[in-house]
Amino acid sequence: MKKMVALITVVIITSMVALGGCSTASAASDMHKAYETKTIKIKPTKVTREKTDSDHKVLLKVEVTVKNKSKEQQSIGLGNFSLKDPNHKQNLIYGMKEDSLGHTMAPGQELKGNIYFEIPVDLEEGWMSYIPEPGHDKAAEWLIVFPKD
C-alpha cells in the first residue's frame, strides 16, 4: 500500500512539473514593471492591438507612464524605444498617431503616452527596449506579451 501511495505521489508531482512548462507566456510578462534611475522612471501599463488596412499587420499600442525625476527638463519620445520579436527582428515604430509619446518634461513632471509598433498579426510577444540616446545601448528592456484579438 505504501508503494502505491508513493507511486501515485510521484505521478502527480511529475504531471504538475510537466504541465508547468505549458503555462502561457503572459506569466513571464514584464508589464507594470518600472525601470527607474535617478533621473527617470518608465512603466508600461497597458497593451492593446489596433487593426490596420493590412491582413498581415496590426498596430501594437503600449501605454506607458513616464516621470522626470531630475532637476532639469528631459525629452522622451518614440525614438527612445524599439521592439524586437523573439527572433530579434526589429518591428517598425508607428508615429502617425496624435497621442504618440513625444514630450519635453519639466522637472518632477509625470505623463502618460503611447508607443505604437507595426507588428505581424500573429506575433504574440516581443522585447521592448528603452534607449536613452540614439546610438547608445539599451538601458531597460521589458518582455511584453500581446493580447489576442
Side-chain angles (χ1 to χ4, degrees):
M1 183 68 171
K2 288 182 181 180
K3 288 182 181 180
M4 184 63 109
V5 171
L7 179 63
I8 291 172
T9 304
V10 169
V11 169
I12 291 172
I13 291 172
T14 304
S15 298
M16 290 171 56
V17 170
L19 291 175
C22 297
S23 64
T24 61
S26 62
S29 177
D30 292 331
M31 283 301 296
H32 305 289
K33 291 184 181 175
Y35 163 74
E36 193 166 357
T37 67
K38 292 179 183 178
T39 60
I40 196 163
K41 179 179 179 181
I42 304 167
K43 182 170 137 183
T45 57
K46 185 177 180 183
V47 178
T48 55
R49 288 180 186 248
E50 295 183 7
K51 294 188 186 270
T52 65
D53 294 335
S54 170
D55 291 336
H56 306 289
K57 300 277 185 178
V58 294
L59 285 182
L60 185 74
K61 176 182 174 183
V62 181
E63 297 176 27
V64 294
T65 301
V66 182
K67 182 172 184 175
N68 180 358
K69 295 173 57 182
S70 75
K71 295 182 190 308
E72 299 178 7
Q73 284 188 343
Q74 286 194 67
S75 295
I76 191 163
L78 297 177
N80 295 109
F81 296 89
S82 67
L83 181 75
K84 291 186 179 180
D85 68 17
N87 296 320
H88 306 288
K89 180 182 178 208
Q90 189 157 327
N91 291 273
L92 296 175
I93 292 175
Y94 186 84
M96 303 296 288
K97 297 275 193 170
E98 289 183 21
D99 61 347
S100 293
L101 186 66
H103 304 282
T104 299
M105 299 183 307
Q109 181 180 2
E110 182 173 292
L111 60 86
K112 293 183 180 188
N114 301 310
I115 306 164
Y116 291 91
F117 298 99
E118 188 177 72
I119 63 168
V121 72
D122 60 346
L123 192 60
E124 296 180 359
E125 66 183 23
W127 291 94
M128 184 176 79
S129 299
Y130 167 67
I131 302 112
E133 296 180 36
H136 286 79
D137 291 336
K138 64 187 170 207
E141 187 173 64
W142 297 267
L143 174 60
I144 307 293
V145 177
F146 312 148
K148 305 259 189 255
D149 285 334

